[in-house]
Amino acid sequence: RSNIEQAQIGIRDALCQALDLEETALPFAGELIQVREEEKIWQRAIERLLRNFGLSLLVPDSCYRQVASWVDATHLRGRLVYYRVRENMRRTLPSLHPDSLVHKLSIKPDSEFYAWLEQEIAHRFDVACCVDQEQFRREKKAITRQGQIKSAGERHEKDDRHAIDDQRRYVLGWNNRDKIAALEAEAGTLESAIADLAGRISTLKRQLDDIDTLLESLNKLEEYRDFQELDWQPLVLAVDRLNDELRRLESASDLLQLLSQRLEELERTRQETEQQLDAAKNDRAKTEQKLEDAEQLHRQTAEFLASVESQASRPWFDALDELRPQALGEHSLSVESCDNREQDLRRWLQEKIDSEDRKISRLRDRIIKAMSDYNSAYPLETQEVDAALEAADEYRQMLEELEADGLPRFEARFKELLNENTIREVANFQSQLNRERETIRERIAQINDSLTQIDYNPGRYILLEAQPTLDADIRDFQSELRSCTEGSLTGSEDEQYSEAKFLQVKGIIERFRGREGLSDLDKRWTNKVTDVRNWFSFAASERWREDDSEHEHYSDSGGKSGGQKEKLAYTILAASLAYQFGLEWGEVRSRSFRFVVIDEAFGRGSDESAEYGLKLFEQLNLQLLIITPLQKIHIIEPFVANVGFVHNEGGSASKIRNLSIEEYREENKRTSPEAQERDDGSIAT
């Protein structure tokens, strides 16, 4: 799951197992950092520079004591570097080089170590990424795409002990698909090499076997002392000569040939007679066995017919004779086939019995289900009646009572009340939701009137878009509401139509009320589908002012830098404030008080986005209370005509003092650098 080398993973596994910690609590730095997709061309050089840092373990302050003790007491059989990550340790981010390597890195957004890694990378790896040697020679800290590193003090380094594009050594990223692909490619190459070597080994082994066979044959020559022992050709010639002589003698004597043929015929006749004798013996044995079996069966049958059991079963014999043609079809009975026909008839009867049992069982189940459905629909009337066949008389009695009471007389009144009251109220409810939907669209239009007056970028403005949501729950709810009211106000004489509308309305109201066992789920569903804000999916469109064509579409802030996110947020915030205060863009008012408070988050943004936000608030003539750290004072001063400072010393309300800007500057000069660094949110302008 990780790009970190197995040796380092093994050390962490042992550490987590010994201290009973989750692996996610002690990540490696490389597991939380990766090269941005659009900067992949720099990945090889970045991997070489950040390799040692990526293999470093990050230890939260809460686990530091345990980890330090375990590492000191354990022989690691390897090298481990880890950092103690203190809580609430904030340092000011340095001003980065425009071509800094830091801009090419992403930090895992949901990591608790995000802030620490952001500061550590910014301080340690603010290295200029140079595309040519002229820039590389000019920069103090620089790196080239080929992996040459220049650090402070004129130190240069290029480590080519390993190939720079060897993805097997990469350690950065929280996704290891590329590394797995590289390893699989290497495995394929090695498998091909292994196959080639196996073929060569097989060929050499065959050659070695041939040599061993030849050596064994040569060694056997020692067994022969004379060449005559090996000279087989004269012997073969002598045998052939004698065979030829034998064939000549046989062909020369007619009597010998006749006797030979007669001998062959007698031999064949003897073999056939022996075969016929064996077959006759087998037939006799089988016949004797069949005769014995028939006599035994005859005795058993006579004993059965004479028994009391046979007399009791005799009335069924005729019935079985009638069933035989149905069960067995056309057939003939013999002593040998009686048992088989008995089994066939028994199976046919059992299948008939099973089939009738299944029909009875299905009928019983349908009757019981109908009783259960009736009990569920009318629990009060059936609270003392069980859903069982034994209670059929009670259900029959209830049916007779309903028919005697004349229930159909009330159906017309039911339909009238359904149309006049229930469905009309549902229609009013639907109308109210639609009015709220239109209100949201009108408010979005008003906010867009303000947004069109703001230059988000030179020549471009932002427009909010509200599209119908694709959420299945909300779309189904809207469809059900429309189905409840379609055709209901004009009326219908169809009884099934009225019943269907009633069931549709009942289903919605039951979910609003909360069904048994699903109350929490239905409550969340109700809050979701009746909140009309959930009916929309909101997005922002950046458009050209000249022709209103779209430049970029923002469905969320994913993939945007921190400054871009802040700028978009300030733009929509300013338009929303204009809507809340009922302002018309550019209108001059002699006396007004529109007060806005901006908290300490203002101090964490970039200078460019903060300056952009202040310009927007200045155009709206807003009165601001800004809580900001010391470092942001230079941004505020040009935009605020009257600036006052409130200094809270030591966090105590009794020590708050009002200062002029000159007094504050004198106070700031007397404050130590350490105190200034701690004072990150105590100044209000």
Side-chain angles (χ1 to χ4, degrees), residues 86-102:
R86 297 180 182 272
E87 298 178 359
N88 300 324
M89 287 292 292
R90 298 179 180 174
R91 291 185 293 173
T92 304
L93 293 177
S95 178
L96 299 176
H97 191 282
D99 297 325
S100 176
L101 179 144
V102 178

Side-chain angles (χ1 to χ4, degrees), residues 261-277:
Q261 293 177 357
R262 181 60 179 167
L263 178 62
E264 291 178 358
E265 292 175 358
L266 291 174
E267 185 65 28
R268 285 197 298 271
T269 303
R270 184 185 65 79
Q271 292 178 355
E272 292 174 356
T273 303
E274 289 179 350
Q275 292 176 354
Q276 293 175 0
L277 178 60

Side-chain angles (χ1 to χ4, degrees), residues 22 151 157 362 391 413 450 488 512 539 633:
E22 296 290 338
S151 56
E157 177 185 356
R362 288 195 294 270
R413 179 58 177 165
S450 299
S488 60
F512 284 166
I633 299 302

Side-chain angles (χ1 to χ4, degrees), residues 485-498:
T485 57
E486 284 177 351
S488 60
L489 300 180
T490 58
S492 174
E493 299 300 328
D494 189 353
E495 297 178 358
Q496 294 182 353
Y497 169 83
S498 299

